[in-house]
Amino acid sequence: MSTPRTDRLTLTRPDDWHLHLRDGAMLRDVLPDTARQMARAIVMPNLVPPVVTTADAAAYRERILAALPEGARFEPLMTLYLTEATAPDEILRAKDSGFVHGVKLYPANATTNSHAGVADLRRVHAVLEAMQRVDLPLLVHGEVTDPDVDVFDREAVFIERHLDRLVRDFPALRVVLEHVTTREGAQFVLDAPATVAGTLTAHHLLLNRNAIFAGGLRPHHYCLPVLKRELHRQALVKAAISGGGKFFLGTDSAPHPKHAKESSCGCAGIYTAHAAIELYAEAFDAAGALDRLEGFASHNGPDFYRLPRNTDRIELVREATPVPPVMSKGGQELVPLRAGETVAWRLAG
Ligand code: NCD
Ligand code: ZN
Ligand code: ZN
């Protein structure tokens, strides 16, 4: 007997556990896309200059709230950008604030605006101890920056050289391996203690690295960690639908203007906030696991972050929905994922 096709899907309103909102005019124009579907988001701190103190995070949070469209209900969950100068005291202030929910580790120069990141993990041990003590999660961009390591291997090598050890050295520290892109990454999260979780992007569930080279060089499919081979994509899908609670939705929606991507040295980042939950629905549907979408999108994240689950619901309708070829964001052109094509679902209402 074949399962009947689901054409309407209601689920607890999701949250986005990894989001780039930027600042200023870009913030104003990308925020409504997320606020339309997500109740909350973990907001990444890689602004220029980065969000390094609780006071920076408070000010950024106010700018986000001020940029919300009239009547929108959305809660920004703030993060601090870990540097080698971060003081353990800052962690106590962050925890006490009630609005900082994690501290982000960028290996120095691993990705967009990561120059102020950490070059040597030994220099942040006291800070990690403080985080472990007050129970503030560490969010990790898990890639080595060693130019001798192949760009496609940088996540697996980061786990081998750094993350495995870090998780053993700080057994009570909650750790999120952000935007897991490899079979090794997914397996690491699955095998690790319950303190360790992972976010998965919609684009890494839907695309493999061929998308970067389909008929020519496709800068709008370039992100970090870079898209991987099909076997990795399949491992990520398996992890997403596994139902064990260790993986949750983190779009890593990362707006860059069109001109900055269509360049001789294009920026890393894919914009998916315009159709985030719809794209995840496609990925889960393709795996025959739409029944697992709610756990992944709406339950596992708040459970890990020890926040209440949302109580209202959203409805998705199966209906091919066009995506504009280009969007206007922050006074600039931006090319979203699926530009000029369609997504298979529409958010009702
Ligand atoms: C992100 C960005 O543009 O801020 N880019 C990306 O390719 N994912 C940074 C990040 O999350 O690594
Ligand atoms: Zn990252
Ligand atoms: Zn990111």
Side-chain angles (χ1 to χ4, degrees), residues 98-169:
F99 56 75
V100 175
H101 294 269
V103 176
K104 183 68 189 275
L105 166 64
Y106 292 102
N109 302 313
T111 186
T112 306
N113 301 335
S114 62
H115 343 288
V118 176
D120 184 347
L121 273 171
R122 284 171 303 192
R123 299 199 194 115
V124 297
H125 261 228
V127 175
L128 297 177
E129 258 158 34
M131 289 169 59
Q132 174 170 251
R133 197 165 57 245
V134 302
D135 195 21
L136 190 61
L138 177 71
L139 320 182
V140 182
H141 180 110
E143 287 192 291
V144 292
T145 54
D146 184 343
D148 292 339
V149 176
D150 189 283
V151 69
F152 292 96
D153 297 335
R154 287 183 186 176
E155 181 174 287
V157 173
F158 182 87
I159 292 167
E160 253 171 53
R161 287 191 192 167
H162 305 294
L163 193 57
D164 190 49
R165 173 77 188 275
L166 188 149
V167 166
R168 277 186 282 117
D169 286 350

Side-chain angles (χ1 to χ4, degrees), residues 18-20 44 46 104 106 111 141 178-179 224 252-254:
H18 182 137
L19 177 66
H20 298 272
M44 288 295 144
N46 62 333
K104 183 68 189 275
Y106 292 102
T111 186
H141 180 110
E178 298 293 340
H179 44 46
L224 287 169
D252 193 18
S253 180

Side-chain angles (χ1 to χ4, degrees), residues 164-186:
D164 190 49
R165 173 77 188 275
L166 188 149
V167 166
R168 277 186 282 117
D169 286 350
F170 299 94
L173 178 65
R174 281 185 288 149
V175 176
V176 184
L177 180 56
E178 298 293 340
H179 44 46
V180 180
T181 64
T182 58
R183 180 172 62 179
E184 291 83 355

Side-chain angles (χ1 to χ4, degrees), residues 230-304:
E230 176 62 10
L231 75 88
H232 295 290
R233 191 194 66 81
Q234 285 176 17
L236 303 182
V237 170
K238 204 170 149 205
I241 69 175
S242 63
K246 287 202 133 202
F247 293 94
F248 37 86
L249 185 159
T251 61
D252 193 18
S253 180
H256 291 276
K258 181 172 186 277
H259 69 80
K261 294 200 54 81
E262 297 177 6
S263 151
S264 61
C265 187
C267 292
I270 300 181
Y271 189 72
T272 54
H274 61 296
I277 193 65
E278 299 90 325
L279 290 163
Y280 282 104
E282 275 190 17
F284 277 68
D285 189 31
L290 275 176
D291 59 322
R292 293 292 169 91
L293 181 60
E294 185 176 41
F296 174 82
S298 315
H299 296 164
N300 301 348
D303 293 357
F304 181 85

